[in-house]
Amino acid sequence: MNIADLFPETYEASRARFRDDLKHVHTLWRDTSLQLHCIDAPEDLTIDWIAAHAAQRERLVIFTTGEHGIEGYVGSAMLKIFIDEFLPRLDPRTTGLLLVHIINPWGMKHKRRTNAHNVDLNRNFLWNAEPDQSFNPDYARLAALLLPQGRVTNVAASNLAIAVKSLWHNATLGATRFGRATRVGQYAFPQGIFYGGDAIQDETRVVMNLLREWIGAYDQTIHLDMHTGYGPRYQMQLVNSASEPRSSRECAAQFNYPSVSAATASEFYEIHGDLIDYVYTLARAEFPGKRVYSTTFEFGTFGLSTASLLRTLQIKILENQVHWFGACDEVRDRIARDFESLYAPRENDWRAKAIADARQAFEGILRAEGFLQ
Ligand SMILES: [Zn+2]
């Protein structure tokens, strides 16, 4: 399969390929089934997963993609590589599989990061808590920057306004506090970016239930979650939970992988209500004694320079503004193209490096955790 063919053009094509892969998995695991959850929407949208149990439930691989909708175009390619190249190297007698195709199908189909209710699902995995509107009070100070009102009529003028306001807030709040306020998550502005919702979402609940059922059934779990966007352009980063007991340096050595960080303010950025933290919290609270390693594959696109981070913020803000307030076709298309280049790049060199990094990380993690035969 050539590189371009690995990356699906549509949600439907990705799903059809995944469903077709059931028979491939079935040649290796006898106890295999395709299961799905219909999204409550007028369109044909489903969360699909392949469930393959081992006779002796020792080890489990959980693979998730598309929590941020549009990021599922890259995630789907990585899942395909994992199925084709790494499943044949696992031991079906002792190793189970839970392969989740796309957690947020509405977002993938409509090329947004959020679900249909504008919820960033990676701020919605809250442990035994309702979303707290008072969390992240700095976000309200930034509302004029992050939530501009009205139709987008002039992209250059909007970008300039965002740049000037960002500089101002950077100077007054400080870069660390400014970055945290924009990205950590918020529960008070339903039309804002990084909105974590006013309740646990349907998609989140489906994944929470799967995690509880499957992690509870096995001695040891590896969970790999695919994301794109933040980070250096040509180096995928493994981003661990702050709850992972090993340091990033230890993981890098054990996995023979050059770029590992933790989702803390000093190493990556802090996130409230994220999926991989939830996995650790669940395991500790309900399954102490089980061994769990959960991590994010973060395929960076624009890079980490100040200019790149500003460009990222501009695109995020304008994409959201167009969603709520509209724009003429020309502006809408331009912003959609920018958004796609940020979360689902088409450049061949980028894709080739992303694939090489993913292979190296799959190999390193599976080997270090004792999953390879
Ligand atoms: Zn993401």
Side-chain angles (χ1 to χ4, degrees):
M1 191 178 273
N2 71 41
I3 288 176
D5 290 342
L6 275 170
F7 293 79
E9 289 292 331
T10 62
Y11 160 70
E12 288 81 4
S14 178
R15 184 175 65 178
R17 178 171 77 182
F18 180 73
R19 289 179 176 176
D20 200 47
D21 270 333
L22 178 69
K23 55 180 187 289
H24 180 59
V25 179
H26 190 67
T27 60
L28 301 164
W29 274 261
R30 244 181 349 169
D31 180 3
T32 301
S33 61
L34 177 81
Q35 298 173 24
L36 58 85
H37 175 86
C38 289
I39 297 294
D40 185 12
E43 301 159 293
D44 174 27
L45 298 169
T46 53
I47 303 173
D48 296 64
W49 62 92
I50 290 174
H53 270 300
Q56 299 153 249
R57 298 187 176 181
E58 295 174 11
R59 299 187 186 89
L60 170 65
V61 177
I62 301 178
F63 201 111
T64 51
T65 77
E67 185 187 25
H68 284 141
I70 187 171
E71 300 175 21
Y73 292 90
V74 173
S76 173
M78 301 310 161
L79 176 54
K80 182 66 183 154
I81 289 167
F82 191 82
I83 289 173
D84 287 353
E85 299 178 13
F86 289 88
L87 293 199
R89 299 173 61 196
L90 303 175
D91 183 352
R93 293 166 302 178
T94 56
T95 307
L97 304 172
L98 173 62
L99 309 175
V100 182
H101 172 239
I102 295 291
I103 294 175
N104 172 14
W106 185 92
M108 185 174 180
K109 177 160 177 95
H110 295 278
K111 300 192 170 170
R112 298 209 78 208
R113 294 179 80 242
T114 65
N115 73 358
H117 309 295
N118 198 48
V119 175
D120 181 328
L121 297 177
N122 209 36
R123 306 293 182 279
N124 191 241
F125 278 84
L126 300 166
W127 179 258
N128 286 346
E130 290 301 307
D132 173 8
Q133 287 200 13
S134 67
F135 178 77
N136 188 13
D138 280 343
Y139 195 94
R141 295 165 171 248
L142 305 175
L145 162 69
L146 299 173
L147 260 171
Q149 307 286 300
R151 272 171 83 81
V152 181
T153 53
N154 183 325
V155 175
S158 292
N159 279 336
L160 181 64
I162 292 168
V164 170
K165 287 175 192 162
S166 296
L167 276 174
W168 163 254
H169 288 302
N170 251 305
T172 52
L173 282 182
T176 307
R177 196 166 149 195
F178 173 72
R180 179 185 187 274
T182 58
R183 290 189 287 256
V184 68
Q186 55 88 14
Y187 302 87
F189 296 87
Q191 294 189 335
I193 55 176
F194 298 111
Y195 175 56
D198 63 357
I200 302 300
Q201 302 295 291
D202 188 30
E203 299 91 335
T204 308
R205 187 69 65 196
V206 168
V207 175
M208 285 176 169
N209 289 339
L210 283 172
L211 292 172
R212 179 168 281 111
E213 177 193 337
W214 282 74
I215 291 173
Y218 284 80
D219 299 335
Q220 181 187 357
T221 297
I222 290 177
H223 169 227
L224 309 174
D225 190 35
M226 302 296 121
H227 288 262
T228 56
Y230 189 88
R233 179 160 178 83
Y234 292 103
Q235 180 58 60
M236 185 271 282
Q237 293 182 86
L238 293 176
V239 183
N240 286 340
S241 167
S243 301
E244 166 58 35
R246 287 169 294 185
S247 72
S248 298
R249 189 188 291 235
E250 285 172 293
C251 285
Q254 288 179 17
F255 303 156
N256 185 32
Y257 191 77
S259 180
V260 182
S261 54
T264 58
S266 59
E267 291 191 27
F268 185 72
Y269 62 77
E270 197 187 332
I271 303 171
H272 189 71
D274 88 350
L275 168 55
I276 64 167
D277 283 347
Y278 185 88
V279 169
Y280 283 91
T281 309
L282 170 71
R284 279 178 193 168
E286 298 186 12
F287 310 111
K290 306 256 187 203
R291 186 166 158 196
V292 168
Y293 175 61
S294 176
T295 195
T296 302
F297 283 41
E298 191 68 59
F299 297 89
T301 54
F302 277 20
L304 287 171
S305 69
T306 305
S308 303
L309 292 177
L310 173 61
R311 182 94 191 95
T312 300
L313 190 62
Q314 285 167 327
I315 292 170
K316 274 194 169 112
I317 290 170
L318 292 186
E319 186 271 343
N320 189 53
Q321 190 180 357
V322 167
H323 175 75
W324 290 108
F325 299 104
C328 62
D329 288 351
E330 182 79 20
V331 166
R332 182 184 289 274
D333 290 350
R334 176 174 161 188
I335 291 169
R337 274 198 307 276
D338 286 347
F339 202 63
E340 219 173 307
S341 66
L342 177 55
Y343 291 109
R346 291 179 168 275
E347 188 207 329
N348 207 61
D349 287 352
W350 184 89
R351 287 174 164 180
K353 180 62 164 67
I355 289 168
D357 288 352
R359 282 189 179 123
Q360 186 182 354
F362 291 150
E363 179 85 29
I365 294 170
L366 291 172
R367 187 170 295 286
E369 298 288 326
F371 278 57
L372 290 182
Q373 296 197 63

